[in-house]
Structures are given as structure tokens and as C-alpha cells.
Amino acid sequence: MPRKKWTWFLAGACAAMALALALFYSHSGRSSVKPPPSLVKAPAAPASPESAIGRKNPASSSVKVVLYFGDDQAMYLLPEERSLTPGRKTLPEAVVQALIAGPRLPGRTRTIPEGTRLLSLKVSNGTATVNFSRELKTKHWGGSAGELMTVYSVVNTLARLPGISQVQFLLEGERIESLTGHMDLTQPVTPRWDIVKTAP
């Protein structure tokens, strides 16, 4: 092959190889392009009392709440801060279950009789309708002070949660006049903060 033609052949081959390499690198570079933001899954927001208030299994993380129990003289309600994990319950249900279980800190007394069960709890238009088993009445220790502690332990505790301003008591699905004959429970009860004492 004449030298002139050989030179043109080598030049053409080099140009073809350079073009092939350019196409290869430009194509392979596309794989490093990030997906559009709309396709990237955002991390889940942390649970809050507002999001946990009315749905089952709201979060696996704990929520800080304040429970109110009676003092030794049945004169005042004493706060007890807890971290609750609602699990398969709503937050109001978990709060009432914690009240039923009783206090953990010294100087505080049980306000709900042992054996009492929470049958249901629904929140609508600011009213929490709490349906207890009959033991709330049949096993209650009686007295006007005892009734006061029981009622406002439940009402004040639930009223600390967002979306709840009053509580309607039910016993086995029915409204009751009172627990021990001293308080009218036929209508929803609003909280009393004047009977809360910060510490024993």
C-alpha cells in the first residue's frame, strides 16, 4: 500500500476510535445522574400527640404525657409524667389504661378501682366518651372526696391531650347519674385545675 494511502488509513482509524471512545464515556456518564426529587422517598416524620390522638398503632416511639393521681389525703391531684408507647391503642386509650394501672411515684394514690376495665373510648368534637366496666362503680371506695379524685383524675389527664376539652362517662355503655352519689355525671365534665398540686 502506498505510504500516502496508509497515512490516510491510520488517520481515519484514529478518528473512528476517538469518536467511539467519546460516545462510550458520554453514555456511561448517564448512570451517575441522580433521580428527580419526586422519586426519592422522604423520611417519616416523628410521631407527636397530635398525630397519635385518634388512630390505632400511631407510632412505635414513646409519647410524653402527664397523668393525675390522688394525694394521700384525697384533697389534691398530683401530676406524674410518663412516656407511653401507644402500640395498637390510641393515645387516649393508652393514657386511661395507665391511670387504671395506678401510680408509680411515692405520695400518689390510685384513683380508679382495681379490676376496672376500659371498654371503649371515642373522641368527637372535643368530647372524649369513656366507657368503663361496672367495677368503676361497684368496687369504688366511696365518699365525696374519693369520687372527686376519680372523676377529675380521668378528666384532667385526658384534657391535657390535644383535641379533648371534656369527658363523658359511661358505665357498660350507659350514662350514669354519679359514681357514689355526689357528682352529676349525666353530662360531659370539664377539667378542674384548681385541685392540682404540683408536688407532694
Side-chain angles (χ1 to χ4, degrees):
M1 179 181 293
R3 178 172 296 182
K4 189 174 182 180
K5 288 184 177 181
W6 177 252
T7 303
W8 281 106
F9 175 79
L10 287 178
C14 290
M17 185 175 294
L19 179 61
L21 288 173
L23 289 173
F24 173 80
Y25 283 114
S26 64
H27 178 73
S28 62
R30 292 175 189 173
S31 62
S32 64
V33 177
K34 294 181 180 179
S38 60
L39 298 181
V40 180
K41 187 176 181 182
S48 65
E50 289 81 0
S51 65
I53 187 76
R55 58 192 179 95
K56 302 285 184 179
N57 197 19
S60 59
S61 59
S62 61
V63 180
K64 284 189 177 182
V65 297
V66 176
L67 311 176
Y68 290 99
F69 296 100
D71 67 357
D72 293 334
Q73 305 300 317
M75 292 180 62
Y76 295 99
L77 291 174
L78 302 178
E80 182 173 312
E81 189 174 280
R82 294 269 186 93
S83 292
L84 299 180
T85 303
R88 299 189 64 83
K89 306 180 184 70
T90 64
L91 183 58
E93 288 172 342
V95 162
V96 174
Q97 294 285 13
L99 284 177
I100 292 174
R104 295 177 181 173
L105 297 180
R108 290 152 176 78
T109 60
R110 175 183 292 276
T111 56
I112 298 178
E114 290 189 59
T116 302
R117 291 172 293 118
L118 174 64
L119 302 181
S120 64
L121 196 161
K122 295 180 179 179
V123 179
S124 178
N125 298 322
T127 301
T129 301
V130 189
N131 184 22
F132 288 102
S133 65
R134 62 174 56 90
E135 286 81 7
L136 183 69
K137 185 177 179 71
T138 60
K139 292 189 175 183
H140 200 277
W141 36 87
S144 59
E147 184 174 18
L148 187 81
M149 292 291 102
T150 297
V151 169
Y152 287 107
S153 169
V154 175
V155 174
N156 284 22
T157 297
L158 286 174
R160 288 288 301 259
L161 302 181
I164 297 177
S165 57
Q166 57 184 6
V167 175
Q168 175 67 63
F169 287 82
L170 299 181
L171 207 65
E172 303 284 344
E174 302 290 336
R175 291 196 184 193
I176 56 173
E177 292 185 1
S178 68
L179 281 181
T180 63
H182 303 281
M183 290 186 64
D184 179 16
L185 298 182
T186 59
Q187 300 298 320
V189 182
T190 55
R192 278 188 58 182
W193 305 111
D194 61 305
I195 58 174
V196 172
K197 192 175 181 181
T198 57

